[in-house]
Amino acid sequence: MKIRAPRDFWAGLMFIAFGIGFVWVAQSYQMGTSVRMGPAYFPTVLGGLLAILVLAIFIQSFIASGSPVPRFYFRPLILIVLATVLFGILLKPLGLVLSVAVLVGVGAFGGFEFKTKEVAILYVVLAIFSVWVFVKGLGLPIPVWPGE
């Protein structure tokens, strides 16, 4: 059996694994019924549907020709995960505004192009939006600046 569409094969395999993983993790919770759903109901149904729907893409990878899998770059993955972790660590000591600056700055280095003007605009818009939604709108007790 020959894989004719490697990109579809690996994407299908990955999503089938996610679907089965959701179903497997949810088994430790109560399922409930469709009328009175338990905590396992939604992840089980969603994971099962994901695995079943993606099965068609997985099977198609053996039938139809497709594009090869492009080269995988670790740098974006590592820098975006690092940016997210740094945001979580720095949120309390630096406050929301400066933590968003670290998030956007480190995350921007994960891309293939770094344009200072675009990154600065993204930072300003995201910082204003975050303060407006999370602090002002939802009233979450997140420090906006260091020392608050």
Side-chain angles (χ1 to χ4, degrees):
M1 191 174 268
K2 185 175 190 247
I3 300 170
R4 298 183 66 175
R7 180 182 259 174
D8 290 344
F9 174 80
W10 290 109
L13 192 65
M14 178 185 69
F15 283 117
I16 288 170
F18 279 139
I20 292 170
F22 288 147
V23 172
W24 181 69
V25 168
Q27 295 309 304
S28 61
Y29 297 106
Q30 282 188 340
M31 184 67 156
T33 63
S34 58
V35 175
R36 191 171 173 95
M37 296 179 205
Y41 190 86
F42 186 70
T44 301
V45 170
L46 194 64
L49 284 173
L50 178 67
I52 290 168
L53 291 174
V54 171
L55 191 60
I57 295 172
F58 183 72
I59 292 171
Q60 184 181 358
S61 72
F62 294 103
I63 300 167
S65 295
S67 60
V69 177
R71 180 175 174 237
F72 186 78
Y73 297 95
F74 283 100
R75 182 177 162 219
L77 177 67
I78 291 169
L79 286 175
I80 290 173
V81 169
L82 177 66
T84 306
V85 170
L86 285 174
F87 176 80
I89 292 171
L90 298 174
L91 186 59
K92 278 195 175 183
L94 292 184
L96 184 61
V97 174
L98 296 178
S99 296
V100 167
V102 171
L103 175 73
V104 172
V106 174
F109 281 112
F112 297 110
E113 297 177 1
F114 185 93
K115 297 181 180 172
T116 309
K117 184 178 178 182
E118 290 178 3
V119 173
I121 291 170
L122 176 64
Y123 160 64
V124 169
V125 169
L126 191 57
I128 291 169
F129 181 78
S130 297
V131 169
W132 183 67
V133 169
F134 297 112
V135 177
K136 304 294 183 202
L138 295 174
L140 296 177
I142 300 172
V144 177
W145 296 104
E148 284 188 5

